[in-house]
Amino acid sequence: MRLKLLPLVLAALLTACGSAVVNPVSGQAERSVMSEQTEVAEGAKAHKEVLQEYGVVKDARLQAYVNELGQRLAKLSHRNQLQWHFTLLDSPEINAFALPGGYVYVTRGIMAYLQSEAELAGVIGHEIGHVTARHGAQRATRQQDAGLGVLAATILGAVLEAKGVAGAGQLASDVSQTAASGYIASYGREQELQADGLGAEYLARSALNPRNMINVINALKNQERFAADQARAAGRPEPKPSSWLASHPSNDQRLQQITQLAAQYKGNYTDEGRDRYLQLTNGMAFGESADQGLTRGQNFYHAALGIALSAPAGWQIQNDAERLALVSAAGDAALLVQVAPAQAGRTHDEVIRNLLKPSQGRTERTTINSLSATRFEGTRTAAQGAVQPVSATLVTGPSGAIFVLTQAAKNAAVLQAGAGALAQAQNSFRPLSVADRAAARPWTLKTVPYPAGGFAQLARSAPLPSAEQQLRLINGFYGGGEPRVGQLVKVVD
C-alpha cells in the first residue's frame, strides 16, 4: 500500500486532426496524431507519472544491467535514433510495458520468473517492438478520436499495460464523461503478435536465439496454470489474467505463432547468459517490498507506517498502490484501508470534511488497539443530487498518518451478513508488535545448487505457501522435469 495512485496531470489535453506519418517497421504511411517529436514529449511526461506510481528498484547494478541490455537491443531496432530509457520498477507484478518515444519498463516481478538474460531480452524486445511499430501512437490516435487528448491517451496506454482495462476505463471516466470505457482497448491482437515477432527479430539481430521468446510465452502460460491450480485447490473461481497477461492475445495462439517464427531464424547464437542472470538477480527482492507492505498468510505488515492487520479465515489480502483490501472468500465484501492524503487535513474532523465530503452525519470518538479512532456515519449528496450513505472509521497510526477504514459489500444484505467478519478485520488494525516486526521480513531471491532431494527438499526451508510448486514456477519447471543435481537454481529466503 502506497500513499497515492498516479496523480495524473490531465488539465491540458491536446487536440489534433492528425497527419500522415511513415511507420518505421512497415514503411507505410498512416494517419497519426503523434509525430515522433510528440511521442517523445508525451512519453517523457507520462514517464514521470510511472516513476511516481511505482518507484524504481534501488539497486544501481540491476538498473544498469536492464538499461545496458535494452540499449543493446534498441541500437539494432527500427528506431535506433530515439533516445531510449529502460527502467526496472519496484513492483512484484509480472509485468512489462512501454510508452511512446522510447520508454520501456520491466518489473522485478517478471524478472523473478525468467531464467536467463536472453529471456529478459525477449521481454524487452517485445516492448521495444511496440515503440518501433508505433503501436502507442496508433492507440493514441484511436483514443483521441473518442475525445481524449494526446497526453490522456498516452497515460491511458501506460495504465492499460500496468493495470489492465479496468484501470484505464476508470481513468477514462475521470478524463471525459463521454468516453466509453469499452473504447479504451488494449493493443490489438495483430499488434501484440507483431511485437512478439519483432522481439524475436531483435533477439536474432543481437545474436540471441529467438526461441527464447517461446520460453517467455511458456512462462506466462505457467503463471496462468499456477493461478488456476491454486484457485481450484482453495475452492475459488479461476482468476482472470492480469498485468502482462491481461492485454495480450491467447498465450496458446502466441506460442503457436512464435514457434513458427523462431524456426525461420538460423544462426550461431551466443551464450544465453543464464549464469550471469542468476548472479545479478541473487539478492533481489521477491514479492512485496517493505515499502509496499508485506502479506504473510492472513496478516499484513507495514513497517514504515508501523501498522498491521489480520484477515479473517478464508479471506484474502489484496495490496495495491491505491489501497489495501481484506476481501471475503466470495469476493462480495471487503474492508478497504487507505491513507488519507496530507492535503485532506491533520485531524479526523478535517479529513472527514475534506475527503468524505458529507452533507450531514455524526461522529463517535473511540480507540482501536490503543490508537485514536473516530467512527463516522452520515450521508453526502452525489453530483446528480442523489443522497448516498457514508460510513467510515478513521484511525491515527503510530507514524501520525490518518487511515480511512471503510466496510464495503455487494449490497446491504451482504453487508449485514458479513458484519461480524468485517468488524473482526477492522478491530485487528494495530501498531506493530515485536512479533509482528519479526514476521515483517522481506523475501529475497537466492541461488543455490540443486540438491539430490529436489524441489521437495528446497521447499522445506522456503517461506512460501505452496512452496514446492512456486519454486518449480520460479525456476521454469512447473510443467514437470528437474534441473540436474548441482545446477544453480533460485530459492526464496
Side-chain angles (χ1 to χ4, degrees), residues 193 217 221 224 245 248-256:
L193 295 177
I217 305 304
K221 283 174 58 66
E224 291 177 328
L245 309 177
H248 292 65
S250 157
N251 284 313
D252 290 324
Q253 180 186 13
R254 296 178 69 190
L255 184 62
Q256 180 181 5

Side-chain angles (χ1 to χ4, degrees), residues 220-444:
L220 300 182
K221 283 174 58 66
N222 285 335
Q223 288 289 336
E224 291 177 328
R225 289 180 54 203
F226 175 76
D229 290 345
Q230 292 296 300
R232 282 194 295 270
R236 300 192 306 268
E238 291 186 16
K240 295 179 180 179
S242 61
S243 298
W244 218 59
L245 309 177
S247 60
H248 292 65
S250 157
N251 284 313
D252 290 324
Q253 180 186 13
R254 296 178 69 190
L255 184 62
Q256 180 181 5
Q257 172 173 296
I258 203 63
T259 300
Q260 295 171 349
L261 283 172
Q264 299 173 12
Y265 292 95
K266 309 295 181 184
N268 296 318
Y269 299 111
T270 60
D271 172 41
E272 303 292 280
R274 185 177 189 276
D275 290 344
R276 182 167 55 254
Y277 188 80
L278 293 181
Q279 180 182 18
L280 280 159
T281 55
N282 186 34
M284 184 176 72
F286 179 83
E288 297 160 315
S289 70
D291 289 343
Q292 300 159 344
L294 303 170
T295 302
R296 298 290 182 262
Q298 295 302 109
N299 297 302
F300 175 81
Y301 309 107
H302 203 301
L305 295 174
I307 58 101
L309 292 94
S310 298
W315 285 40
Q316 286 187 294
I317 297 173
Q318 297 176 0
N319 178 28
D320 63 30
E322 62 175 341
R323 68 186 178 192
L324 173 73
L326 278 59
V327 184
S328 67
D332 56 0
L335 176 71
L336 308 178
V337 183
Q338 297 172 287
V339 180
Q343 61 267 31
R346 295 193 292 180
T347 69
H348 292 186
D349 288 341
E350 288 176 348
V351 172
I352 290 170
R353 183 170 59 253
N354 298 326
L355 191 65
L356 302 183
K357 301 183 183 302
S359 53
Q360 61 179 2
R362 62 181 180 85
T363 59
E364 176 189 354
R365 308 302 183 190
T366 183
T367 60
I368 297 179
N369 294 311
S370 77
L371 297 173
S372 174
T374 301
R375 290 194 173 94
F376 175 81
E377 297 282 344
T379 59
R380 66 184 168 203
T381 304
Q384 296 79 14
V387 176
Q388 299 176 332
V390 179
S391 175
T393 298
L394 285 74
V395 187
T396 300
S399 66
I402 297 177
F403 296 83
V404 182
L405 283 61
T406 308
Q407 297 182 12
K410 183 178 180 180
N411 52 48
V414 172
L415 186 64
Q416 183 176 5
L422 286 165
Q424 176 188 339
Q426 179 167 294
N427 291 333
S428 76
F429 190 99
R430 61 190 184 273
L432 283 174
S433 66
V434 173
D436 288 335
R437 288 190 181 278
R441 184 178 68 84
W443 294 336
T444 58

